[in-house]
Amino acid sequence: MLSAQDPTRRNILKTAGGFSAALALGAGGVLAGATPAAAAGDGFGLRIVDRNEGDPRMWYYRFQTAEIGWNPGVNVLLPDDYHWSGRTYPVLYLFHGGGTDQDFITFDREHIRDITAGKPIIVVMPDGGHAGWYSNPVSSNVGPRNWETFHIGQLLPWVEANFRTFAEYDGRAVGGFSMGGFGALKYAAKYWGHFASVSSHSGPASLRRDNGMVVHWANATSAALDLGGGTVYGVPLWDQARVTADNPVQRIESYRNKRVFLVAGTSPDPINWFDTANETQVLAGQREFRSLLGNAGIDHEWHERPGGHFIRRDLLEHDINGVIGRLRKA
């Protein structure tokens, strides 16, 4: 693969730029201003250690960062016309769920390219750890795992410096599945001035209900899969201020004037304890969250569907259409 510094790549880009400029000249000789996409660079504490910009739409990067003890990856999905349109686009940050089979490629496996074909939006899909819970953990025995700082303090400004996005409230949305749906709700509340739309597909919205079942689950999974016995929220005593700050049902006013989109399954597989444990909590927590939003007069869209804990592609596409409708137009 050619690097940004490779002279062959520079010549290709130069030639492409001239060709784009020629195409942009209309019958009246007016330059439309279309330019090719430039290769992304380092910055904001991120050093690119692997990359692939060969696909017309899906650009891949892997970073070295002091915030994460290994090199996390990200897929950046570009609109079909990104390389020649010259337009600036809204952006959706889309987060994967937990588990050893979940990572920044999750939504590519779920046909995100087909779902967004012809749609004027950039979709950024980063790693979030097997059980990182989109958080800076209370403790880690394996080095830094500061996913919240990586996503908000590093990745977001890096994207806006390297791609044509609207770097403003009405230009950004955040969404995700399962653990990523929780991460989306959390980030939208804690960084309420960053995102105008938030979507949670089977993501928990209530941390303290049922004696803190979701907090216990976050601690157990992070200890086993991500932190070598460390935890997101602390054991045996929780960091109560952190739980409150992260808990969507305790941050209701932070969702006012946002587009809020929620999906939950109503009939998880009773034979599958993982499916049942997850979606039962998701459904109950989202219903609690929706009730509080409704009581506060905060608009939200919700869907309850048969089945359990999985990504419903039709609702993901419906959601992305809603994101595009809410954000600033390309």
Side-chain angles (χ1 to χ4, degrees):
M1 186 182 61
L2 299 174
S3 71
Q5 288 73 39
D6 190 289
T8 304
R9 182 180 178 87
R10 288 200 300 270
N11 289 336
I12 290 172
L13 290 175
K14 183 177 179 181
T15 301
F19 184 60
S20 295
L23 287 177
L25 286 169
V30 178
L31 184 64
T35 58
D42 299 341
F44 306 95
L46 302 177
R47 184 172 73 85
I48 299 170
V49 296
D50 193 24
R51 68 199 303 158
N52 189 337
E53 295 163 337
D55 188 282
R57 294 191 61 206
M58 190 74 83
W59 285 17
Y60 149 78
Y61 304 91
R62 193 169 289 280
F63 304 107
Q64 184 179 83
T65 166
E67 299 300 332
I68 306 296
W70 52 276
N71 298 335
V74 61
N75 271 339
V76 180
L77 182 59
L78 303 171
D80 300 281
D81 63 354
Y82 183 86
H83 300 289
W84 55 264
S85 71
R87 293 197 291 174
T88 300
Y89 297 86
V91 60
L92 166 63
Y93 292 85
L94 190 57
F95 300 140
H96 65 78
T100 55
D101 61 339
Q102 298 287 302
D103 58 17
F104 72 99
I105 304 175
T106 291
F107 288 98
D108 203 13
R109 300 185 190 106
E110 295 291 336
H111 303 283
I112 191 68
R113 302 182 201 219
D114 295 337
I115 290 172
T116 58
K119 293 180 169 61
I121 191 167
I122 293 171
V123 184
V124 177
M125 296 161 284
D127 268 327
H130 296 317
W133 287 88
Y134 299 88
S135 298
N136 294 350
V138 167
S139 62
S140 170
N141 296 321
V142 292
R145 295 292 189 273
N146 297 320
W147 293 106
E148 186 171 338
T149 300
F150 168 64
H151 293 135
I152 301 299
Q154 295 184 317
L155 183 65
L156 188 150
W158 179 86
V159 167
E160 293 178 348
N162 285 283
F163 297 91
R164 298 195 310 273
T165 71
F166 292 115
E168 60 187 70
Y169 176 76
D170 287 319
R172 304 188 198 100
V174 62
F177 165 68
S178 188
M179 179 184 77
F182 163 73
L185 290 172
K186 167 186 169 170
Y187 287 171
K190 290 187 74 173
Y191 305 95
W192 57 270
H194 283 49
F195 305 104
S197 174
V198 56
S199 312
S200 181
H201 295 257
S202 287
S206 179
L207 299 185
R208 297 182 185 276
R209 67 173 298 109
D210 298 328
N211 297 310
M213 182 69 73
V214 174
V215 175
H216 290 306
W217 182 248
N219 279 338
T221 54
S222 63
L225 300 179
D226 247 30
L227 301 173
T231 61
V232 170
Y233 290 111
V235 292
L237 301 177
W238 300 349
D239 183 330
Q240 295 290 348
R242 188 176 301 218
V243 174
T244 298
D246 288 0
N247 194 1
V249 299
Q250 293 182 268
R251 302 294 302 270
I252 292 299
E253 280 302 315
S254 298
Y255 300 97
R256 192 173 297 280
N257 300 321
K258 296 183 186 296
R259 173 184 175 270
V260 179
F261 184 90
L262 304 166
V263 177
T266 59
S267 53
D269 181 356
I271 306 301
N272 185 332
W273 73 267
F274 179 85
D275 194 55
T276 298
N278 273 278
E279 207 62 17
T280 298
Q281 277 296 312
V282 164
L283 181 61
Q286 285 199 10
R287 285 176 173 173
E288 178 187 349
F289 184 54
R290 283 160 28 197
S291 176
L292 292 168
L293 291 172
N295 291 341
I298 296 174
D299 290 339
H300 56 285
E301 179 180 349
W302 58 272
H303 299 265
E304 291 186 1
R305 285 284 186 86
H309 199 66
F310 58 88
I311 297 170
R312 293 161 170 83
R313 292 177 190 167
D314 62 325
L315 287 177
L316 180 60
E317 181 168 15
H318 178 66
D319 178 24
I320 289 173
N321 289 336
V323 168
I324 294 169
R326 170 61 181 87
L327 297 187
R328 185 173 171 182
K329 302 302 180 286

